[in-house]
């Protein structure tokens, strides 16, 4: 997903491939992974930022995004460290289809939760309108605060982590972008 306003680009980040490799063996709660076949489809897959299709092998794992970020950056999120359930493909997948489009999982109300560089929550905003423009406004408002380093887009119903958006790059963008493959 990429949402653009003027020369500002907001890019959704799936769970990193290195983290996925670890999560597919043992999740962040220390439990072994139990893959299953998704008979109905529709699970929000955090590895490729799309909904699953019937018959895909997936796994529900516990994921701690702030703990992993803290380990990589040498920070300590303190009490803000949390883990929660996410769906991923049970086996490596090609990742997101990176050719632009609507925000992933924008089919319902979402929360854009703001974080400082050390993983402290700085606030949040409900996004009740699933349009790319509404998400762009929420991201712009978040990043207008210089203390905000990244945001998490989360489900309102359960608070589940969907994806991260880092402080945007301004000017010409040459890296690939992500789009939502299926709505629903």
């Amino acid at each position: 997903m990429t949402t653009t306003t003027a020369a500002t680009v907001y890019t959704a980040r799936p769970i990193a491939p290195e983290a996925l490799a670890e999560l597919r063996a043992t999740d962040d709660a220390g439990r072994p992974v139990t893959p299953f076949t998704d008979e109905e489809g529709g699970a929000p897959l955090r590895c490729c930022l799309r909904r699953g299709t019937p018959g895909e092998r997936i796994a529900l794992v516990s994921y701690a995004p702030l703990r992993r970020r803290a380990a990589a950056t040498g920070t300590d999120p303190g009490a803000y460290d949390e883990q929660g359930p996410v769906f991923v493909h049970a086996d490596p997948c090609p990742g997101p289809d990176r050719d632009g489009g609507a925000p992933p999982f924008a089919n319902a109300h979402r929360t854009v939760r703001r974080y400082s560089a050390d993983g402290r929550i700085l606030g949040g905003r409900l996004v009740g309108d699933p349009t790319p423009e509404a998400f762009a406004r929420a991201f712009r408002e978040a990043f207008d605060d210089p203390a905000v380093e990244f945001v998490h887009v989360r489900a309102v119903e359960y608070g589940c982590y969907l994806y991260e958006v880092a402080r945007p790059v301004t000017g010409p963008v040459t890296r690939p972008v992500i789009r939502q493959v299926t709505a629903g």
Side-chain angles (χ1 to χ4, degrees), residues 21-42:
E22 294 171 4
L23 291 169
R24 288 180 177 122
T26 304
D27 73 11
D28 285 346
R31 289 187 291 269
V33 176
T34 306
F36 63 96
T37 300
D38 186 1
E39 300 297 336
E40 296 179 22

Side-chain angles (χ1 to χ4, degrees), residues 121-177:
I121 296 174
L122 298 176
R125 181 185 191 288
L126 176 68
V127 180
D129 176 5
T131 64
E133 295 78 22
F135 276 87
R137 276 192 303 278
F139 297 150
R140 185 177 59 248
E141 289 170 9
F143 292 118
D144 278 350
D145 178 347
V148 174
E149 184 68 20
F150 62 97
V151 300
H152 284 173
V153 175
R154 292 176 172 262
V156 171
E157 310 86 12
Y158 303 105
C160 296
Y161 170 90
L162 294 170
Y163 56 89
E164 179 180 298
V165 176
R167 181 162 283 285
V169 174
T170 55
V173 176
T174 57
R175 68 177 193 272
V177 296

Side-chain angles (χ1 to χ4, degrees), residues 102-123:
F105 314 123
N107 58 325
H109 293 147
R110 300 295 179 216
T111 299
V112 173
R113 192 184 293 170
R114 304 167 184 181
Y115 292 89
S116 64
D118 61 355
R120 306 285 197 246
I121 296 174
L122 298 176

Side-chain angles (χ1 to χ4, degrees), residues 3-31:
T3 305
T4 306
T5 55
T8 304
V9 176
Y10 304 101
T11 303
R13 294 180 171 179
I15 297 175
E18 305 79 30
L20 288 167
E22 294 171 4
L23 291 169
R24 288 180 177 122
T26 304
D27 73 11
D28 285 346
R31 289 187 291 269

